[in-house]
Amino acid sequence: MLTVLIPTFNEEKNIRQCIEGVKWADEILIADSFSTDKTLEIARQYPNVRIIQREYHYSTSQKNWAIPQAKNDWILIVDADERVSPELAEEIKEIVKGEFKEDTPVAYWIRRENFYLGKRIKFCGWQNDKVIRLFRKGKAIYEDKFVHGEMIIDGKVGILKNSLKHYTIENISEHLKKIERYSTWKAMEKNKRGRTSGISVIAGKTFFKFFRDYFLRLGFLDGIYGFILCGISAFSEFITYSKLWKMHKDEKISRNTD
């Protein structure tokens, strides 16, 4: 028995296609952050959808809150901008209905095919992208991190043959808005770990990010899409470490005035 968990906030442009790919599941659990568009209206058109709501803090917090509320032994997490192909669906069905033994995986990596501005990105560091999204309830939990929290698994982890299709950023304005949000979280995470920043760090991290993704990770083979993606990703590093520097500066001023 399988629950598909879909976190949402104002995903009316994505939610129908996302649900269509997983409507065969025993339960579709929508963990919504109080959407104000037609996301929930569309979701309610499907009989096996159940909706829970909570104010959004950050991704791993939202998912860790929602996971225990799934009704079934197996959970598949799918973001609204991801699509489960028929081939991936059949592979998941076989795993879920199979007999569970002590030596079988309790969780599975799933590779992702990423699309940026409508184009499949094959390089830029995205060529090896994979995520743990299918797991047994009670055997997996996310690290409590603002961004890029991985799953902590109690047991063996396998990997599926088929991939998720991930239709990420559709336009540059959307990418810049995402950077504003994520750069703050990343700076907070680094600050919590005692990382520091300054001119040399900001410049070095920005340059190295572009050099690594565009040249070492072969982003140039993705053409103009790769160039834009690597450039904006480097800009994201610039913003993150600039915010980290400002956090340190503000903290120092606060200590001196206490």
Side-chain angles (χ1 to χ4, degrees):
M1 300 286 281
L2 175 71
T3 291
V4 175
L5 170 59
I6 308 175
T8 61
F9 176 69
N10 288 351
E11 292 286 357
E12 64 179 11
K13 67 179 181 180
N14 282 314
I15 193 62
R16 186 180 299 280
Q17 283 184 288
C18 182
I19 292 177
E20 282 292 325
V22 296
K23 63 183 181 181
W24 45 268
D26 302 287
E27 177 188 44
I28 298 174
L29 182 62
I30 304 291
D32 184 69
S33 304
F34 299 101
S35 292
T36 57
D37 64 359
K38 295 182 179 180
T39 297
L40 300 185
E41 178 182 331
I42 295 169
R44 289 189 179 103
Q45 296 173 11
Y46 294 85
N48 55 339
V49 163
R50 181 164 61 93
I51 296 169
I52 55 177
Q53 288 186 296
R54 175 187 186 242
E55 182 181 354
Y56 187 87
H57 301 289
Y58 49 95
S59 178
T60 57
S61 171
Q62 195 76 353
K63 290 173 181 175
N64 282 340
W65 164 77
I67 286 169
Q69 302 186 59
K71 292 181 177 180
N72 296 296
D73 293 332
W74 283 96
I75 299 172
L76 172 67
I77 296 180
V78 182
D79 289 338
D81 61 358
E82 295 173 337
R83 307 288 177 261
V84 175
S85 67
E87 295 79 13
L88 178 57
E90 288 304 314
E91 187 176 7
I92 291 171
K93 289 176 188 177
E94 287 299 314
I95 290 172
V96 170
K97 74 179 184 182
E99 182 182 356
F100 182 71
K101 300 178 182 179
E102 287 187 5
D103 61 342
T104 58
V106 299
Y108 290 86
W109 290 99
I110 306 179
R111 297 182 181 89
R112 288 198 298 186
E113 297 177 12
N114 294 290
F115 294 79
Y116 179 75
L117 306 182
K119 170 75 171 180
R120 167 82 186 279
I121 299 296
K122 297 182 179 180
F123 301 98
C124 300
W126 287 9
Q127 52 265 55
N128 299 314
D129 183 27
K130 64 182 186 297
V131 287
I132 295 177
R133 292 293 186 77
L134 178 65
F135 54 91
R136 289 187 67 85
K137 186 177 179 180
K139 295 293 184 179
I141 189 170
Y142 279 97
E143 297 174 299
D144 186 23
K145 294 177 64 175
F146 293 118
V147 288
H148 304 313
E150 296 291 349
M151 277 203 144
I152 302 169
I153 307 299
D154 179 18
K156 184 178 178 181
V157 182
I159 185 166
L160 301 187
K161 296 178 181 178
N162 294 286
S163 304
L164 271 173
K165 296 186 184 299
H166 182 207
Y167 295 91
T168 182
I169 310 298
E170 293 185 351
N171 59 69
I172 291 173
S173 295
E174 179 185 344
H175 197 170
L176 294 176
K177 288 179 182 177
K178 186 174 182 179
I179 285 174
E180 172 58 27
R181 185 170 67 253
Y182 274 72
S183 61
T184 298
W185 290 337
K186 287 181 350 187
M188 291 170 62
E189 193 69 47
K190 294 177 188 302
N191 190 40
K192 187 170 69 173
R193 299 203 311 266
R195 302 285 291 275
T196 60
S197 184
I199 292 176
S200 60
V201 174
I202 295 169
K205 292 289 185 180
T206 302
F207 172 80
F208 181 71
K209 176 65 173 174
F210 182 83
F211 181 81
R212 182 184 62 184
D213 291 352
Y214 192 67
F215 293 105
L216 301 182
R217 293 178 171 174
L218 307 179
F220 62 89
L221 295 177
D222 283 312
I224 184 65
Y225 294 89
F227 182 76
I228 292 171
L229 174 58
C230 292
I232 295 180
S233 296
F235 174 70
S236 176
E237 289 290 281
F238 175 84
I239 296 298
T240 297
Y241 282 92
S242 296
K243 287 183 176 180
L244 179 58
W245 168 81
K246 186 63 164 60
M247 287 177 186
H248 288 161
K249 183 174 183 291
D250 292 344
E251 288 173 359
K252 185 175 181 180
I253 293 173
S254 178
R255 287 195 299 268
N256 292 337
T257 56
D258 287 344

